[in-house]
Amino acid sequence: MKVGIVGAGFVGSTAAYALVTSGGASEVVLVDANEKLAMAQAQDIAHAVPFARATTVRHGPYEALDGAGVVVLAAGVGQKPGETRLDLLERNARVFGQVIPAALAAAPEAILLVATNPVDVMTHIATHISGLPRHRVIGSGTVLDTARFRALLGARLGVTPKSVHAHVVGEHGDSEVLLWSGATAAGMPVERCAAQLGHPLTDADRAAIDEGVRRAAYRIIEGKGHTAFGIGSGIARIIAAIAGDERAVLTCSTLTDAVAGVRDVTLSLPRVLGSRGVVDTVMPPLSAEEETALNRSATILREAATGVEQ
Ligand code: ADP
């Protein structure tokens, strides 16, 4: 499948590199307002192809997105000192106002995969600007937070994260909800598995894992200024699920009729992904505490969306 990426900065270029190393696309086209940057990233990544999977990597104008099955939206402008979150949102909404019509004019059949932060609100905006059916506008959402949750649980239990199933839902951000009640490892509740393996989960372990997932981005940004590898790999994973019509369940953000008592909100839940985009949503059973936390997260996102709809 041909994949377009608009925004060749840290996130967009790392997603392109992850696609090349995983073999998730036959062709990757990078587009950026900074053409020199798009060209440099495309060349650098193309030089990894002999060591990776057969992929054509190039840069181009929007017209070069012609025939793309997925267009990743990773364009945006970072928060400036003194700028409020709403100012940032308004600026990035203007960027999407230019980028989305241009991308869809070239690739009218594409699924839009939004990575620009704040990703849930940007996905909400992209759904409105594009006028596409909601199943074709997907935000990377909490795909990365879920990966972090599984990684930390796996490390605590001493098993590979691939044998841990646990989801983070709601906002990709401070109010996200770690679903402890449904977390399993080796086909049983994580607590039971942990105890059997001789590493019982204490309240302090849970608090440390919660903090590790929720605050990960802050710590990484403090150390290196941006995050890229985790989200780039998550984007490549979502694209593989679409390209392979896998019906893989991944926590992605999309406009949803009603969640935890909140209507018309764009947030992450476990979504079944296939060639049409989001083909289904699974609503996990929630404890009372998780239900309250998800209502809070959905309310925050609903209010942020109302702010930009006006
Ligand atoms: P991130 O860390 O989120 O990837 P970057 O600042 O590294 O952030 O990348 C964002 C990219 O988006 C930049 O390369 C910038 O040139 C690009 N960009 C910003 N506005 C537009 C636009 N209107 N059209 C295309 N690309 C844009």
Side-chain angles (χ1 to χ4, degrees), residues 16-28 45-57:
Y17 179 67
L19 281 168
V20 165
T21 54
S22 66
S26 54
E27 184 176 356
V28 178
I45 296 164
H47 299 162
V49 170
F51 309 111
R53 309 287 183 98
T55 317
T56 304
V57 186

Side-chain angles (χ1 to χ4, degrees), residues 144 148 215-228 230:
L144 176 56
R148 288 170 175 155
R215 305 288 303 170
Y218 293 99
R219 268 199 310 277
I220 295 169
I221 288 169
E222 211 183 310
K224 62 179 261 190
H226 66 275
T227 67

Side-chain angles (χ1 to χ4, degrees), residues 8 13 30 32 34-47 57-60:
S13 61
L30 292 171
D32 198 290
N34 180 347
E35 196 196 334
K36 254 179 137 171
L37 175 70
M39 187 195 67
Q41 299 281 30
Q43 285 192 5
D44 195 14
I45 296 164
H47 299 162
V57 186
R58 62 196 179 95
H59 81 287

Side-chain angles (χ1 to χ4, degrees), residues 6-12 32-34 37 62 74-77 95 98-99 226-227:
V6 183
F10 290 115
V11 172
D32 198 290
N34 180 347
L37 175 70
Y62 282 97
V77 194
V95 169
Q98 299 167 352
V99 162
H226 66 275
T227 67

Side-chain angles (χ1 to χ4, degrees), residues 33-287:
N34 180 347
E35 196 196 334
K36 254 179 137 171
L37 175 70
M39 187 195 67
Q41 299 281 30
Q43 285 192 5
D44 195 14
I45 296 164
H47 299 162
V49 170
F51 309 111
R53 309 287 183 98
T55 317
T56 304
V57 186
R58 62 196 179 95
H59 81 287
Y62 282 97
E63 293 72 37
L65 299 175
D66 171 36
V70 173
V71 173
V72 178
L73 303 176
V77 194
Q79 200 156 359
K80 291 185 177 153
E83 190 176 52
T84 67
R85 216 174 113 90
L86 199 61
D87 291 337
L88 172 73
L89 263 176
E90 281 169 2
R91 277 201 305 141
N92 279 344
R94 278 198 295 277
V95 169
F96 271 26
Q98 299 167 352
V99 162
I100 292 174
L104 286 176
E109 304 301 325
I111 288 168
L112 299 181
L113 175 49
V114 179
T116 302
N117 273 322
V119 70
D120 301 292
V121 186
M122 293 310 296
T123 306
H124 192 84
I125 290 169
T127 307
H128 282 274
I129 292 176
S130 68
L132 292 179
R134 59 185 66 180
H135 66 87
R136 276 178 59 196
V137 187
I138 308 169
S140 53
T142 55
V143 80
L144 176 56
D145 314 81
T146 290
R148 288 170 175 155
F149 191 20
R150 293 172 69 198
L152 292 181
L153 274 171
R156 179 70 191 108
L157 267 61
V159 302
T160 170
K162 289 181 179 280
S163 297
V164 176
H165 289 92
H167 294 117
V168 179
V169 297
E171 181 194 14
H172 169 60
D174 295 343
S175 75
E176 66 192 24
V177 185
L178 281 68
L179 298 183
W180 284 94
S181 69
T184 64
M188 66 182 95
V190 275
E191 287 81 5
R192 201 163 155 185
C193 186
Q196 223 186 85
L197 291 169
H199 309 292
L201 279 175
T202 62
D203 285 348
D205 291 330
R206 283 163 165 268
I209 290 173
D210 186 286
E211 204 271 342
V213 173
R214 204 179 296 279
R215 305 288 303 170
Y218 293 99
R219 268 199 310 277
I220 295 169
I221 288 169
E222 211 183 310
K224 62 179 261 190
H226 66 275
T227 67
F229 293 117
I231 187 60
S233 304
I235 291 167
R237 179 69 193 93
I238 294 168
I239 291 171
I242 295 168
D245 196 19
E246 286 185 20
R247 302 187 77 89
V249 179
L250 297 169
T251 50
C252 296
S253 190
T254 199
L255 179 59
T256 307
D257 283 337
V259 182
V262 181
R263 298 200 61 80
D264 296 324
V265 60
T266 302
L267 48 52
S268 287
L269 287 172
R271 312 284 183 183
V272 183
L273 298 183
S275 58
R276 292 177 58 243
V278 173
V279 294
D280 240 320
T281 294
V282 186
M283 190 63 211
L286 304 173
S287 67

